Amino acid sequence: MVTPAEAQRLIWENLAPWPREECPLALAHGRVLQMLLKADRDLPPFDRVTMDGYALRSSAFASGVRTFQVEGVQAAGAVPQTLSASPQACVEVMTGSVLPPGADCVVPYEDVTRTEGTIGVAAALDLKPGTFVHGRGSDHRAGETIVPSGTRLSGREIAVAAACGFTTLTVSRIPQVAVVATGDELVEVEAEPEPHQIRRSNDYALRAALMAAGYTRTERFHLRDLRVDIQELLRQVLGHFDAVLFTGGVSKGQFDFLPSELEKQNVRRVLQGVAQRPGRPFWFGVSARSVPVFALPGNPASAYTCLHRYVLPAFDRCSGLAPRRPEFAALASPFRFRPALACLLPVRLSSAPDARLLAEPVPGNTSGDFAGLVETDGFVELPVAVQDFPAGYVAPLYRWV
């Protein structure tokens, strides 16, 4: 068996990028950008007034002028008025308007006294060039990259794209994902299960997590432990979907037919078995047309954990998403783990007074204890080499989506 790090490396080495497509700006939220968003002009594109008040020359104020003649009003969005050559000239300006040519600073309303057609400015003011002015190009110069490729688009990046005139964006195509729950013991959610049966939950949970992560084109299927059914559904999902997730049927039981049937349909096995708990039977392979196939354990906590440890990072990589910055947390209390396996330990997060991120172990009863995950925020990965982990031990953190 391989370690979790080796499993991730093997998966990543066998992934192919998903295609790109053009997407209207209004529909691009949550998509992965596959182009550079560059400023089409200086930002801001002009010297922008940042306070309601009066625009004037700071040099006139510095020379002792305290009374200024109001020559007009400059509204946001209006063609700018040029200040006359008189040292006493000023223009009333609104926030967001263009700084009138000839002026270099703004005095807010509250710092002046106004009489008919003139204003008086207090001598104690510290007026300098650029006072209450957002200088042209001070944010970005024309041609500068503002948003790099590989960014998942939020409202912030959408605002940049709109401000720079991008009506369409090049993004990664959202993959079509098949989530297949296997097992004769599974019945529909609305059914009344017999004592030997359980309701389907894994495929619902995995689909919900995939959609929360941005992979919204996900369909659910159920597969009984019959070779003929497995063969038929495999042909369907391997031929029509961009990625396939199975849950259950990958251990070494008498009715775990899935690995052998996958190989019969030219799905090349890359790995089977990871030295970890939960999720030891985890399986990964690639079809003849480069479709990634993940076979997760049937135990609910195992499947959900493997999804976050391996599948979602793999999907992000196929989408061209920039790698996420690693996150770490310190154990809030000691934890003992005896098996010679990596431990993917569910935790509840909190903050210490010194701002450290703390992870309280919530180990749960078994890998079938899905309800135990409800009170957790994610899991930390504890290595094989250590068996007694003291409070304060720092480990990589993986949050649930």
Side-chain angles (χ1 to χ4, degrees):
M1 288 188 293
V2 299
T3 66
E6 291 169 336
Q8 178 175 287
R9 178 183 59 79
L10 288 169
I11 293 168
W12 285 20
E13 287 176 353
N14 287 275
L15 297 175
W18 283 320
R20 302 177 177 187
E21 64 184 11
E22 297 301 305
C23 177
L25 178 62
L27 301 177
H29 182 270
R31 305 296 294 273
V32 178
L33 184 69
Q34 291 299 312
M35 60 183 291
L36 301 176
L37 293 187
K38 296 185 176 183
D40 65 330
R41 55 179 182 163
D42 290 344
L43 295 177
F46 50 80
D47 291 332
R48 188 175 67 88
V49 172
T50 62
M51 290 285 285
D52 295 333
Y54 298 89
L56 48 83
R57 295 181 178 89
S58 60
S59 59
F61 180 81
S63 68
V65 178
R66 298 293 181 266
T67 302
F68 294 84
Q69 186 74 36
V70 181
E71 296 184 335
V73 178
Q74 175 70 52
V79 176
Q81 302 179 39
T82 301
L83 211 63
S84 73
S86 169
Q88 293 181 304
C90 74
V91 172
E92 187 175 2
V93 290
M94 306 297 123
T95 299
S97 65
V98 178
L99 183 71
D104 64 1
C105 67
V106 174
V107 183
Y109 282 146
E110 53 266 33
D111 291 331
V112 306
T113 56
R114 177 156 184 173
T115 58
E116 188 64 32
T118 64
I119 61 169
V121 181
L125 287 182
D126 182 20
L127 284 184
K128 299 175 181 177
T131 299
F132 295 117
V133 176
H134 189 184
R136 174 176 176 169
S138 60
D139 292 341
H140 294 280
R141 290 294 183 184
E144 235 179 85
T145 297
I146 304 176
V147 181
S149 180
T151 301
R152 191 174 293 281
L153 296 166
S154 70
R156 301 182 298 277
E157 294 81 19
I158 295 295
V160 169
C164 294
F166 291 93
T167 58
T168 62
L169 299 174
T170 303
V171 298
S172 296
R173 193 179 73 191
I174 299 176
Q176 287 188 290
V177 182
V179 176
V180 185
T182 69
D184 290 342
E185 74 276 18
L186 302 178
V187 297
E188 294 296 335
V189 173
E190 63 272 16
E192 186 64 36
E194 298 292 335
H196 60 281
Q197 296 176 322
I198 57 174
R199 294 187 179 93
R200 287 167 58 182
S201 62
N202 274 355
D203 53 327
Y204 281 92
L206 299 179
R207 180 176 183 269
L210 285 164
M211 294 186 69
Y215 303 105
T216 54
R217 300 174 65 193
T218 301
E219 296 183 37
R220 296 180 301 103
F221 299 87
H222 176 222
L223 190 59
R224 297 188 61 195
D225 293 324
L226 297 173
R227 284 191 183 275
V228 63
D229 289 356
I230 294 173
Q231 292 166 1
E232 182 178 348
L233 185 63
L234 281 181
R235 281 192 292 271
Q236 177 184 348
V237 296
L238 292 173
H240 294 90
F241 288 83
D242 301 303
V244 181
L245 274 65
F246 293 93
T247 173
V250 293
S251 295
K252 297 181 179 180
Q254 184 176 349
F255 299 100
D256 291 331
F257 303 129
L258 188 56
S260 60
E261 291 301 325
L262 285 167
E263 292 185 18
K264 287 180 182 178
Q265 298 211 27
N266 296 317
V267 177
R268 176 174 55 87
R269 183 182 64 185
V270 175
L271 68 92
Q272 182 173 13
V274 182
Q276 64 185 21
R277 180 180 291 176
R280 190 172 179 176
F282 176 76
W283 190 101
F284 171 73
V286 181
S287 79
R289 65 181 192 94
S290 299
V291 173
V293 179
F294 300 86
L296 315 181
N299 283 324
S302 300
Y304 202 66
T305 301
C306 287
L307 176 83
H308 286 78
R309 181 60 181 87
Y310 304 109
V311 180
L312 292 180
F315 281 15
D316 289 350
R317 188 172 178 86
C318 290
S319 297
L321 191 67
R324 300 180 184 183
R325 289 189 292 270
E327 192 173 11
F328 299 87
L331 290 181
S333 59
F335 183 73
R336 171 175 289 187
F337 186 73
R338 289 305 187 195
L341 301 168
C343 178
L344 308 183
L345 174 65
V347 294
R348 183 168 50 247
L349 299 176
S350 63
S351 293
D354 61 1
R356 284 183 304 151
L357 185 61
L358 299 180
E360 180 63 44
V362 186
N365 294 320
T366 67
S367 57
D369 181 18
F370 215 156
L373 298 182
V374 172
E375 298 181 354
T376 66
D377 300 296
F379 64 91
V380 293
E381 184 176 312
L382 303 177
V384 176
V386 182
Q387 292 185 329
D388 290 293
F389 300 89
Y393 184 90
V394 176
L397 170 68
Y398 298 83
R399 295 178 187 259
W400 309 132
V401 295

